[in-house]
Amino acid sequence: GSSLEPEERSMEPPAVPEEEMPLTAASGPGGCQLFGYVGIEAVLDQMKIKTMKMGFEFNIMVVGQSGLGKSTMVDTLFKSKVSRKSSQPGQEERIPKTVQLQSVTHVIEEKGVKMKLTVTDTPGFGDQINNENCWDPIIKYINEQYERYLREEILITRKRKIPDTRVHGCIYFIPPTGHWLRPLDLEFMRRLSKIVNVVPVIAKADTLTLEERAEFKQRIQEDLKTNAISVYPQEDFDQDPDDRVLNDRIREKIPFAVVGADQEHQVNGKRVLGRKTKWGIIEVENPAHCEFPLLRDLLIRSHLQDLKDITHNVHYESYRVRRLNESNRP
């Protein structure tokens, strides 16, 4: 019963058991392999320790008419008294005849991380009968910060760490009219979106019903698209596919309908930030009541470094190229 055909033998080398295979940590595009643990990932810990020691800078600007809750919103955003009105209590508030820019700087520390926060307010914007060219002082201030950084950068002997006073984000407060964007709003965002990251928000959204708020947001999105106004996060700067998916979800929500509050109230045995009305308490950090958590996550928790990177690599870079071309022109 045995077969007379010769036995077929495989020409492949015998398989090596798994325990005898060399340990491969990573394989690069060039085919380079790491046999065993090297410790390259420790560079992340080094960067974290260095950043915690040095701290970092973050500069924001709030723009809008008086009475829209700009100072309250900034205090709510950082859960501390960092706005212009909070740092100068007791002063009588008067509407200035022209747009004035006032900056307040604080050092905020959380879990060992230090942040030098600068908040720039623009009292007088949009409060006059004739608001022609009321954005000129704001554009001048932003360009002055770029110019200051450029002068420090082109020095032969420059500082090891150049002080960064450039505006990383501009929060623009839209009045809750429930109609369309005003010509002032369109002109401001059209001009400012070219030199700074503009994040529009609907101020005091608790004055609108949910239906009015949804319709108002849709009209604002149509106005921005019709006038080719690109607010943050811009579609042109999405490099990674994952970032594009996240930013698309954010763009669907813009402008954020926000409510600010600086007082705590008791709700179901918990202390929450909110505004007390006859019908109940509007919880600021409750996504069912307003979109303030989305604004906070965008500015601080998910896109803070991206705001700084776009400011440096896009807006400041375009200003630097323009200024150097002007200086080299005969």
Side-chain angles (χ1 to χ4, degrees):
S2 61
S3 174
L4 297 178
E5 296 180 0
E7 182 180 357
E8 295 182 1
R9 295 185 179 181
S10 175
M11 301 301 293
E12 298 178 358
V16 180
E18 292 185 0
E19 55 270 17
E20 297 180 9
M21 289 290 288
L23 297 176
T24 303
S27 179
C32 181
Q33 294 181 344
L34 304 179
F35 300 98
Y37 179 74
V38 177
I40 297 177
E41 63 180 16
V43 70
L44 298 177
D45 297 330
Q46 299 173 31
M47 295 170 62
K48 180 180 178 181
I49 294 173
K50 189 173 182 180
T51 304
M52 291 178 67
K53 287 182 179 179
M54 297 178 59
F56 61 97
E57 296 149 325
F58 186 54
N59 310 314
I60 63 173
M61 174 184 287
V62 289
V63 183
Q65 287 181 329
S66 299
L68 292 180
K70 300 187 297 294
S71 300
T72 305
M73 177 56 60
V74 173
D75 291 343
T76 310
L77 199 62
F78 296 97
K79 293 186 178 181
S80 57
K81 304 292 184 180
V82 296
S83 65
R84 172 181 57 90
K85 291 184 179 180
S86 300
S87 60
Q88 302 173 355
Q91 291 192 0
E92 186 178 356
E93 184 69 18
R94 294 183 179 179
I95 298 177
K97 295 182 180 180
T98 58
V99 179
Q100 301 175 358
L101 282 85
Q102 300 178 2
S103 299
V104 181
T105 302
H106 300 273
V107 177
I108 302 176
E109 184 173 353
E110 183 181 29
K111 294 183 179 180
V113 181
K114 293 182 180 180
M115 181 176 71
K116 185 179 180 183
L117 173 67
T118 301
V119 180
T120 304
D121 198 356
T122 56
F125 176 85
D127 294 331
Q128 311 301 324
I129 297 177
N130 183 10
N131 292 306
E132 186 179 2
N133 298 329
C134 63
W135 46 77
D136 285 347
I138 299 174
I139 295 177
K140 180 181 178 182
Y141 175 83
I142 294 174
N143 287 331
E144 283 176 354
Q145 309 315 308
Y146 289 152
E147 181 69 23
R148 182 180 300 180
Y149 192 91
L150 178 62
R151 289 178 180 176
E152 291 286 344
E153 195 178 43
I154 63 178
L155 290 176
I156 298 177
T157 304
R158 57 185 181 183
K159 299 177 182 177
R160 187 174 180 182
K161 186 176 185 300
I162 301 177
D164 190 4
T165 59
R166 298 169 296 181
V167 179
H168 300 128
C170 174
I171 308 176
Y172 185 70
F173 288 72
I174 301 172
T177 60
H179 301 293
W180 301 88
L181 285 177
R182 302 169 301 171
L184 175 63
D185 303 328
L186 291 172
E187 190 64 23
F188 175 86
M189 287 190 281
R190 186 182 67 82
R191 292 173 180 264
L192 268 292
S193 61
K194 299 177 181 178
I195 62 173
V196 72
N197 299 313
V198 178
V199 181
V201 298
I202 300 175
K204 293 188 174 181
D206 52 334
T207 60
L208 299 172
T209 64
L210 295 179
E211 292 78 10
E212 291 173 342
R213 192 171 76 180
E215 293 177 1
F216 191 33
K217 290 181 65 171
Q218 185 176 1
R219 290 170 182 170
I220 292 175
Q221 292 174 356
E222 292 174 0
D223 282 344
L224 294 176
K225 188 175 182 179
T226 303
N227 293 273
I229 298 174
S230 179
V231 297
Y232 183 85
Q234 300 91 333
E235 293 186 22
D236 299 338
F237 306 148
D238 291 342
Q239 302 290 338
D240 188 72
D242 296 335
D243 294 342
R244 181 179 295 275
V245 173
L246 175 61
N247 291 338
D248 284 341
R249 291 202 301 264
I250 294 174
R251 282 187 280 265
E252 292 176 358
K253 299 288 185 180
I254 283 181
F256 299 119
V258 298
V259 178
D262 52 4
Q263 294 182 356
E264 290 185 343
H265 301 277
Q266 195 82 13
V267 177
N268 297 329
K270 296 181 180 180
R271 303 289 295 179
V272 296
L273 281 172
R275 297 173 60 88
K276 189 174 182 180
T277 65
K278 293 182 179 180
W279 304 275
I281 296 176
I282 303 171
E283 300 177 28
V284 171
E285 297 179 316
N286 189 343
H289 292 186
C290 72
E291 295 176 339
F292 170 78
L294 300 178
L295 175 65
R296 180 187 57 197
D297 292 346
L298 175 70
L299 293 178
I300 302 175
R301 298 184 179 178
S302 62
H303 287 68
L304 189 147
Q305 188 59 43
D306 188 61
L307 283 165
K308 299 181 66 174
D309 291 342
I310 291 181
T311 299
H312 180 76
N313 298 326
V314 178
H315 299 304
Y316 168 71
E317 190 67 19
S318 62
Y319 178 84
R320 187 186 68 86
V321 171
R322 185 174 71 252
R323 286 287 290 114
L324 293 181
N325 285 333
E326 291 175 357
S327 61
N328 294 331
R329 192 175 301 161

